[in-house]
Amino acid sequence: MEQKENSHCCAASRLKMRNIDDWKLEKDVKLDPKLIGKKFSRENMVYIPGGSFLMGTNDKEGFPLDGEGPIRKVTVSPFYMDECTVTNADFKSFVTATGYITEAEKFGNSFVFYQFLSSETDKKVTQRVQQTPWWMVVEGACWKNPEGPDSTIDDRLDHPVIHISWNDAQAYCKWSGKRLPTEAEWEFAARGGLEQKKYPWGDELTPGGIHQCNIWQGSFPKVNNKEDGYAGTAPAKSFPTNGYGLYNISGNVWEWCSDWFSINIQSRGGGVNPKGPKTGDMRIMRGGSYLCHQSYCNRYRVAARTSNTPDSSTGNIGFRCVADV
């Protein structure tokens, strides 16, 4: 199947809106010093043994303009990783303890997929993303009101927290005593000990006809058959784990990494514990989301990558944390 070079389901970004509203990119996370340095708990984390692996892909299904290739040997040290993405319940605890206000709340809006809006909220929308018109700019959308003011997370506390910017994720990491994974750590962990497989479980998307992740089925962006059981987010601990015991490392929500984005291999930090370019405009996101589809944006593949500005948030962006051994 022919792939589109720059097809993105995830392309909602504040970048093109800053000129309109003169929004300023927050360069660093400000958190009460008394709330930083909490000793991290290994509860609900798994040990990732580290080692050398073949990172990236030369597969024809890849997106060359994303910088997925070439394949190269990379070594990472052992680390701990959350077995699933940070949940609404987790983030609620963080906000209760710190009073933290997310960037979506500060800006007053976030990006929501059009099919999830109530009729009342839909009537109030005045902006959508021109290049990806399924993304609506919804006033009042944020982590605790994911589809706008008339929505809640009360029945989704075990789902991934969404509408989280990179800066928000950094704040949570500082509070929890953890950090975001490097891109190399993320891919090493996502592969689960398998070498150069397309997905965390192998090369077949639905082995034996069984769905392994939460992505789009049907005709994107109009018809989702929900054959995997979900239209939006699934609980953070859904589907079988990969070889390292990680849930939903593919699909469900995009996961922030610590690295700046670049397609230049030479700038990404070499072959041993690379940490990415020293500067940049966009941060790496990995794993794909419930909006990815094989015919349009198959970035749920383990080597796939994309990026967004550190202040951007959408209804399909979350994160998981890691910690040093």
Side-chain angles (χ1 to χ4, degrees):
M1 182 176 295
E2 183 179 354
Q3 298 294 320
K4 299 178 181 179
E5 288 287 345
N6 280 323
S7 298
H8 281 273
C9 63
C10 51
S13 172
R14 296 199 186 277
L15 180 64
K16 295 179 180 178
M17 301 182 71
R18 285 199 204 106
N19 292 333
I20 299 174
D21 297 318
D22 195 29
W23 289 345
K24 295 181 179 179
L25 179 64
E26 200 168 304
K27 294 296 184 184
D28 194 18
V29 176
K30 295 178 176 60
L31 199 64
D32 186 338
K34 296 178 182 178
L35 300 172
I36 299 175
K38 172 183 173 183
K39 186 176 181 180
F40 85 92
S41 169
R42 293 177 184 172
E43 185 179 1
N44 299 320
M45 300 189 85
V46 296
Y47 176 75
I48 309 297
S52 298
F53 74 111
L54 297 178
M55 186 172 181
T57 184
N58 298 330
D59 195 297
K60 63 181 181 181
E61 282 194 56
F63 294 86
L65 294 183
D66 287 351
E68 293 186 21
I71 295 172
R72 64 273 186 200
K73 185 177 180 180
V74 172
T75 301
V76 296
S77 300
F79 58 98
Y80 291 97
M81 185 176 236
D82 289 346
E83 62 182 352
C84 66
T85 50
V86 173
T87 65
N88 284 315
D90 296 329
F91 202 79
K92 185 177 181 180
S93 296
F94 162 60
V95 170
T96 299
T98 65
Y100 183 79
I101 300 174
T102 63
E103 293 196 294
E105 293 171 282
K106 292 176 183 177
F107 292 141
N109 57 47
S110 192
F111 298 98
V112 181
F113 187 66
Y114 80 104
Q115 291 185 355
F116 299 157
L117 301 182
S118 68
S119 56
E120 286 301 309
T121 298
D122 188 48
K123 292 176 184 176
K124 298 175 183 177
V125 172
T126 59
Q127 286 182 289
R128 66 172 67 204
V129 181
Q130 184 176 0
Q131 293 80 4
T132 51
W134 44 85
W135 283 118
M136 317 298 280
V137 181
V138 177
E139 298 299 317
C142 64
W143 73 274
K144 59 185 176 182
N145 305 113
E147 291 80 50
D150 58 355
S151 64
T152 75
I153 57 169
D154 292 348
D155 61 347
R156 287 178 271 179
L157 291 176
D158 61 343
H159 285 229
V161 65
I162 52 177
H163 297 291
I164 298 299
S165 71
W166 187 89
N167 292 319
D168 297 332
Q170 284 287 88
Y172 180 94
C173 287
K174 285 187 176 182
W175 172 74
S176 65
K178 303 178 184 179
R179 60 179 174 82
L180 288 176
T182 65
E183 183 178 19
E185 287 174 332
W186 188 96
E187 185 170 325
F188 180 89
R191 290 189 178 278
L194 302 179
E195 184 172 301
Q196 279 295 296
K197 296 298 183 182
K198 191 174 296 185
Y199 310 112
W201 54 87
D203 285 327
E204 189 177 350
L205 181 59
T206 54
I210 305 299
H211 290 278
Q212 303 293 313
C213 64
N214 176 21
I215 55 176
W216 186 284
Q217 293 91 41
S219 177
F220 184 83
K222 295 183 178 180
V223 180
N224 189 345
N225 297 328
K226 297 185 288 186
E227 294 171 5
D228 58 22
Y230 304 97
T233 59
K237 292 183 179 180
S238 301
F239 303 96
T241 62
N242 76 349
Y244 288 145
L246 301 172
Y247 290 93
N248 294 2
I249 197 76
S250 181
N252 214 24
V253 294
W254 284 100
E255 300 181 17
W256 288 112
C257 292
S258 60
D259 308 37
W260 289 109
F261 176 82
S262 174
I263 63 173
N264 186 319
I265 291 292
Q266 286 70 35
S267 71
R268 297 189 208 175
V272 179
N273 291 321
K275 296 183 178 180
K278 295 182 179 179
T279 60
D281 298 314
M282 315 278 277
R283 294 286 186 177
I284 288 286
M285 299 192 302
R286 286 299 212 112
S289 81
Y290 58 81
L291 292 181
C292 287
H293 186 263
Q294 191 169 17
S295 69
Y296 188 80
C297 174
N298 63 347
R299 289 180 175 84
Y300 45 85
R301 293 170 297 102
V302 75
R305 60 202 302 263
T306 193
S307 62
N308 212 331
T309 62
D311 61 349
S312 290
S313 61
T314 71
N316 67 340
I317 298 178
F319 70 107
R320 79 177 73 206
C321 307
V322 299
D324 295 326
V325 173

